[in-house]
């Protein structure tokens, strides 16, 4: 092993390398994905209630970028910033990228990774809880979130789950809850 | 059929939480005998943002659970406000219309309304009623026809054995999850700090009054501006509740009431069964699907192993270790001899 894995964090060399690269246009793709979800599952955004206008800062601590998400239904936006340009938000959710992804697909229980300090929340706790509970209800698979259907969805989910599972072991991430 | 436990059928009924329709599905698929949930308003004691069921979701949830052979118990277990009882009445009507198998209530006004308007609806007395004596339980049984009582988490196994000999209603006890160490329904700790009563609005330590702040590598949990605890680097965190806070008293810093630990009474299941308990309950409507699925599977394995004359204690412990508050477990009051 050329690095000592620690609680799911990307190795420092990779973190540095990612910092040199330009900001990828991920925000655009994620905005489209959230808006598509709002069209297909409006019930989810009702569950968010007034918190759909909250500015959430999603901070994967082991990459040099942060995301600002405003999950306002079909007007939702997701933007990606270099960490040094990160805006202030009403609520911040921080943790290794692999842990944050695991919260989206239900691999991890939010409370369990909070107890172990793998996840840190700051700011408007009401809003964070509303988002967490909405994500729970969404029960999204990676391919579903990206808009795949039918056979392609199965293929993408199978490959993604296998890759993430392998990464969790490689990075010594917290044990999956599910 | 609920409550069919008898000498020929000694199996414990496993009652599992669901905060969202997705969690209800997870609980049903994991083998829950019964699933409890609440409506998305202040009529239930887990009134957190983004949690709970709309009336439409409850109807669909009941259908889905029944398809899996699970019962649905709906908590309408906060105390109705004088002069503003409309939402509690509407909640009881909605539970009845949904085809749910029972309602879990604590307030005598809610119980009375349910009994009068929906006489066929099974009534369970919520832990929020804090009924722990034969006299109080008999009152609820005689007055409202309550068929089951959820016992407070402050009783020892010996006390449960004694109580079960003196009452004729079914009893249900908590065996896993967050641990209220105060007499539920009467605790005012959170109210002192936030001005909001968990017993009336359904939220202990309202998240809007909670803040977590990191200072270097320390994490500080605060409620209503009061610092409840500080966690050093590598130290596991807990819920921001005052009863699990770490305070300085008489020159010493310690957890004055209870450590940030979770209840795990899996090892006591045979004793609880012998004590005449009908149902065992898992706490955690605020927890996610991953938790629900794992905990329900573990306890279902334990109950099935007991039914087969065996014991699955070790396997269950391994399955549950990652789920607990503070990463630690306790058997709570069940084995305690102090008060």
């Amino acid at each position: 092993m050329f690095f000592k894995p620690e609680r799911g964090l990307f190795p420092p060399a990779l973190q540095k390398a990612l910092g040199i690269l330009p900001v990828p246009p991920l925000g655009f793709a994620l905005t489209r994905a959230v808006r598509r979800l709002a069209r297909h599952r409006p019930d989810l955004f009702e569950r968010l209630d007034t918190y759909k206008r909250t500015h959430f800062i999603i901070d994967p601590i082991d990459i040099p970028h942060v995301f600002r998400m405003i999950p306002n239904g079909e007007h939702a936006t997701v933007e990606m910033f270099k960490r040094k340009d990160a805006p202030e938000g009403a609520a911040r959710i921080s943790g290794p990228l692999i842990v944050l992804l695991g919260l989206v697909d239900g691999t991890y229980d939010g409370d369990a990774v909070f107890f172990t300090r793998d996840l840190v929340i700051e700011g408007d706790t009401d809003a964070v809880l509303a988002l967490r509970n909405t994500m729970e209800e969404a029960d999204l698979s990676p391919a579903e979130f990206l808009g795949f259907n039918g056979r392609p969805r199965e293929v993408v989910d199978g490959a993604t789950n296998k890759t993430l599972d392998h990464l969790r072991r490689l990075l010594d991430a917290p044990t999956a809850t599910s | 059929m609920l409550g069919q436990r008898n000498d020929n059928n000694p199996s414990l009924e496993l009652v599992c939480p669901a905060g969202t329709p997705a969690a209800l599905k997870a609980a049903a698929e994991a083998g829950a005998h019964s699933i409890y949930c609440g409506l998305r308003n202040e009529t239930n004691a887990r009134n957190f943002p983004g949690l709970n069921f709309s009336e439409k979701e409850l109807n669909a949830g009941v259908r889905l659970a029944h398809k899996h052979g699970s019962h649905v118990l709906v908590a309408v277990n906060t105390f109705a406000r004088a002069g503003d009882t409309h939402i509690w009445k509407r909640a009881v009507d909605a539970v009845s219309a949904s085809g749910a198998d029972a309602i879990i209530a604590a307030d005598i006004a809610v119980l009375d309304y349910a009994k009068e308007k929906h006489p066929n609806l099974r009534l369970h007395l919520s832990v929020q009623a804090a009924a722990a004596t034969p006299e109080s339980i008999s009152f609820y049984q005689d007055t409202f026809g309550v068929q089951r009582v959820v016992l407070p988490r402050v009783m020892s196994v010996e006390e449960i054995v004694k109580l079960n000999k003196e009452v004729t209603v079914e009893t249900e006890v908590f065996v896993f999850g967050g641990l209220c160490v105060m007499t539920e329904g009467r605790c005012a700790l959170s109210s002192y700090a936030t001005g909001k009563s968990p017993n009336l609005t359904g939220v202990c330590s309202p998240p809007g009054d909670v803040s977590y702040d990191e200072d270097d590598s320390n994490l500080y949990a605060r409620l209503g501006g009061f610092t409840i605890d500080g966690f050093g680097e590598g130290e596991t965190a807990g819920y921001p509740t005052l009863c699990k806070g770490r305070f300085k008293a008489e020159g010493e810093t310690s957890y004055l009431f209870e450590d940030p630990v979770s209840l795990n009474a899996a090892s006591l299941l045979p004793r609880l069964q012998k004590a005449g308990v009908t149902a065992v309950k898992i706490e955690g409507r605020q927890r996610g699907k991953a938790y629900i699925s794992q905990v329900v599977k573990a306890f279902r394995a334990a109950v099935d192993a007991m039914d087969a004359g065996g014991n699955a204690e070790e396997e269950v412990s391994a399955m549950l270790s990652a789920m607990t508050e503070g990463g630690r477990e306790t058997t709570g009051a069940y084995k305690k001899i102090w008060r």
Side-chain angles (χ1 to χ4, degrees), chain A residues 43 46-47 51 106-109 111-112 114-117 120-123 125-126 129-130 132-137 139 177-178, chain B residues 20-22 40 49-52 57 207-208 210 212 217 219 231-232 235-237 239 286-291 294 323-325:
Chain A
D43 57 302
E46 279 169 30
R47 191 170 279 278
Y51 303 107
T107 299
Y108 292 117
D109 173 65
D111 288 18
F114 172 75
F115 293 150
T116 54
R117 308 272 300 274
V120 174
I121 60 171
E122 291 164 281
T125 317
D126 258 334
L129 213 54
R132 193 283 298 261
N133 291 330
T134 301
M135 297 297 298
E136 275 292 328
E137 175 54 17
D139 206 10
T177 312
S178 59
Chain B
T20 58
R40 202 181 304 154
L51 206 65
N52 296 314
E57 287 168 344
V210 172
Y212 291 104
S217 52
L219 177 72
F231 306 99
E235 197 178 4
T236 51
Y239 284 124
Q286 75 283 12
R287 303 291 295 263
K289 298 179 298 285
Y291 166 95
Q294 184 81 341
M323 307 291 168
T324 51
E325 182 181 2

Side-chain angles (χ1 to χ4, degrees), chain A residues 6-10 15 57-67 83 92-103 108 113-114 116-122 171 173-174, chain B residues 214:
Chain A
E6 191 191 349
R7 302 295 296 173
L9 289 165
F10 281 149
Q15 294 184 30
I57 303 298
I58 315 291
D59 181 1
I61 56 172
D62 51 350
I63 67 168
H65 303 105
V66 300
F67 298 87
R83 185 174 302 283
R92 176 179 285 265
I93 304 165
S94 317
L97 180 64
I98 197 86
V99 170
L100 296 177
L101 289 173
L103 287 170
Y108 292 117
V113 284
F114 172 75
T116 54
R117 308 272 300 274
D118 292 298
L119 182 76
V120 174
I121 60 171
E122 291 164 281
L171 300 173
Chain B
E214 278 219 314

Side-chain angles (χ1 to χ4, degrees), chain B residues 111-146:
Chain B
L111 288 163
D112 184 62
Y113 182 81
K115 184 199 169 207
E116 293 300 322
K117 299 286 181 187
H118 305 285
N120 295 325
L121 189 57
R122 196 177 210 268
L123 294 180
H124 289 187
L125 189 65
S126 169
V127 68
Q128 287 286 102
T133 62
E135 292 80 5
S136 62
I137 291 170
S138 295
F139 166 77
Y140 287 105
Q141 185 181 16
D142 298 342
T143 314
F144 306 110
V146 160

Side-chain angles (χ1 to χ4, degrees), chain B residues 216-232:
Chain B
D216 296 328
S217 52
N218 296 319
L219 177 72
Y220 294 97
R222 296 189 173 92
L223 178 68
F226 297 101
T227 304
I228 292 179
D229 209 343
F231 306 99

Side-chain angles (χ1 to χ4, degrees), chain A residues 57-80:
Chain A
I57 303 298
I58 315 291
D59 181 1
I61 56 172
D62 51 350
I63 67 168
H65 303 105
V66 300
F67 298 87
R68 177 173 65 189
M69 178 175 70
I70 307 169
N72 190 12
E74 292 189 42
H75 306 288
T77 56
V78 184
E79 297 162 274
M80 193 172 180

Side-chain angles (χ1 to χ4, degrees), chain B residues 263-310:
Chain B
L263 173 70
N264 182 1
S267 63
L268 297 175
L269 288 178
R271 285 183 65 197
L272 292 169
Q273 187 179 33
K274 215 172 156 196
V277 164
T278 298
V280 290
K281 186 168 203 162
I282 294 163
E283 186 275 347
R285 278 193 281 143
Q286 75 283 12
R287 303 291 295 263
K289 298 179 298 285
Y291 166 95
I292 306 279
S293 184
Q294 184 81 341
V295 176
V296 175
K297 275 182 200 157
F299 272 90
R300 180 61 193 261
V303 169
D304 287 350
M306 272 169 51
D307 288 349

